[in-house]
Amino acid sequence: MEAIDFKYIDEGNANVAVAYTGSNIVYKNKILRIPKKKVDMRKIYENYTYIYNTMLPEYRMNLELIGFEKDFIRELMVKIDKERNRNDELDLACEEGLLMDNLVSGEGSNVLAVEIKPKWGFVPPEYSACRFCLHEELKARKKNIPLGKFCPLDLYSGDFNRILKSVNDLRATPKNNLKIFYQQENITDKPIYIGGKNITNLIASILYQCPVLQNIKHFQEKFHDNVEELYQLKMNLEEHLIHERLSNFMTSVCLKDLSLMISFYVDNTNLSILEEDNHLVESLAKVHLSGGEGAVEGIPFKVTAIDLDYKNESKIAGLKDLEVELKSVCSKKCSLQRYLYISKERNE
Ligand SMILES: O=P(O)(O)O[C@@H]1[C@@H](OP(=O)(O)O)[C@H](OP(=O)(O)O)[C@H](O)[C@H](OP(=O)(O)O)[C@H]1OP(=O)(O)O
Ligand SMILES: Nc1ncnc2c1ncn2[C@@H]1O[C@H](COP(=O)(O)OP(=O)(O)OP(=O)(O)O)[C@@H](O)[C@H]1O
């Protein structure tokens, strides 16, 4: 495995993803996901398999732990340096990463991949508004940045028009909740039509008809816990007494931060990436579904859950502090029109 055979795809706070472009059949159509800091890779691998096996079996990808030869990371850093737009360095001592299916590329067809980070699908009793929107409001106030339009409660609502609205909102203000790739290049800000239909319509139609978001929401809620209470118990009790509660809560934290990749297998005759939007009127598209795979208006697609990293229990103190801050956002007069949904959601 040579660093020269890898192409930079993207990265988050914790990991960099690079795609294999060489000719070794073992790595063909694979992505290497490399942690930036020292982590327990086996625990991360086990968390992916635990979630795939027990919660999201239909949205899994192939995955294996892989060891790096000495100097591989150093050579890779040089190779991808110009394409990265972050200043943090990779961990040169990193010995292991995850080798996974490349969801933004395919064999025999072109891949258009839509990545959505859906966040929290429900409002827990400790909050009086959408937790994501409160956090948006807090970030906007602290950093003096504009609010995004996206509200996850629309995305998870199960109502086609609200799902479509949320996907359009994501298109308008994608932030880190939406990315679109075509042939491994990021094209998030381009108008995109497949088979004459706006990509937002196809995404909304899939998410309306595929139960993936309802599955995620179900387990987020099932394993959710009151973080302030959990923090107090953690401080005052022996940890083994609340081991199961803590571990369930960390699973919920992971499910509130995962992403979905919808990979469309398109050909040049049914794809147009435009320079300007032509505002077609949209309606529900025809979806045939079998597990996490299917076809929308005849175009094959696959839905995969990614970013299922194990979340460390040491996060609890920070999450408790954040919750206290978010509750203070709740109590102040807030500009969010999506507050209006809360009472409706609660009464449903
Ligand atoms: O707490 P949140 O909801 O802000 O989520 C964090 C994410 O921020 P977001 O609000 O999605 O921009 C945050 O995303 P970004 O790095 O901002 O893209 C991380 O995913 C973070 O996880 P970790 O600390 O790297 O394990 C996420 O932290 P945890 O999910 O581990 O709490
Ligand atoms: N299997 C895959 N196929 C194609 N691209 C991928 C794959 N896995 C990850 N990526 C790309 O790499 C990016 C970074 O990966 P990931 O989201 O897992 O990193 P992260 O650092 O954990 O993110 P965050 O900061 O949200 O926690 C993803 O946003 C996605 O664009």
Side-chain angles (χ1 to χ4, degrees), residues 125-184:
E126 334 53 290
Y127 287 100
S128 57
C130 169
R131 196 270 192 186
F132 173 87
C133 293
L134 289 172
H135 201 181
E136 269 288 296
E137 180 88 12
L138 186 67
K139 287 179 190 169
R141 283 182 198 173
K142 276 189 173 171
K143 300 182 190 164
N144 203 14
I145 49 173
L147 275 176
K149 293 183 161 191
F150 170 61
C151 173
L153 300 185
D154 287 326
L155 188 69
Y156 284 92
S157 66
D159 172 319
F160 178 71
N161 289 326
R162 280 181 69 188
I163 297 172
L164 183 59
K165 174 189 181 304
S166 74
V167 179
N168 281 320
D169 290 343
L170 279 171
R171 290 290 268 149
T173 53
K175 298 204 171 182
N176 69 349
N177 299 94
L178 175 77
K179 292 180 199 167
I180 304 180
F181 298 90
Y182 180 58
Q183 294 296 79
Q184 314 197 107

Side-chain angles (χ1 to χ4, degrees), residues 103-104 113-115 181 259-263 302-306:
L103 304 169
V104 298
V114 176
E115 180 180 344
F181 298 90
S259 294
L260 290 176
M261 193 75 97
I262 308 175
S263 312
K302 179 179 181 326
V303 181
T304 312
I306 65 167

Side-chain angles (χ1 to χ4, degrees), residues 9-17 31 33 36 48 61 86 100-104 115 117 176 179 181 257 259 261 306-309 311:
I9 299 292
D10 211 335
E11 66 192 282
N13 236 0
N15 296 278
V16 177
I31 284 265
R33 183 172 179 266
K36 295 185 193 178
Y48 270 80
M61 63 178 153
R86 303 208 187 198
M100 40 180 65
D101 293 339
N102 185 342
L103 304 169
V104 298
E115 180 180 344
K117 192 178 193 182
N176 69 349
K179 292 180 199 167
F181 298 90
D257 197 40
S259 294
M261 193 75 97
I306 65 167
D307 200 0
L308 304 176
D309 282 8
K311 302 276 185 178

Side-chain angles (χ1 to χ4, degrees), residues 23 64 146 150 246 272 287 344:
S23 54
E64 63 182 287
F150 170 61
L246 283 173
S272 27
V287 176
K344 186 167 171 277

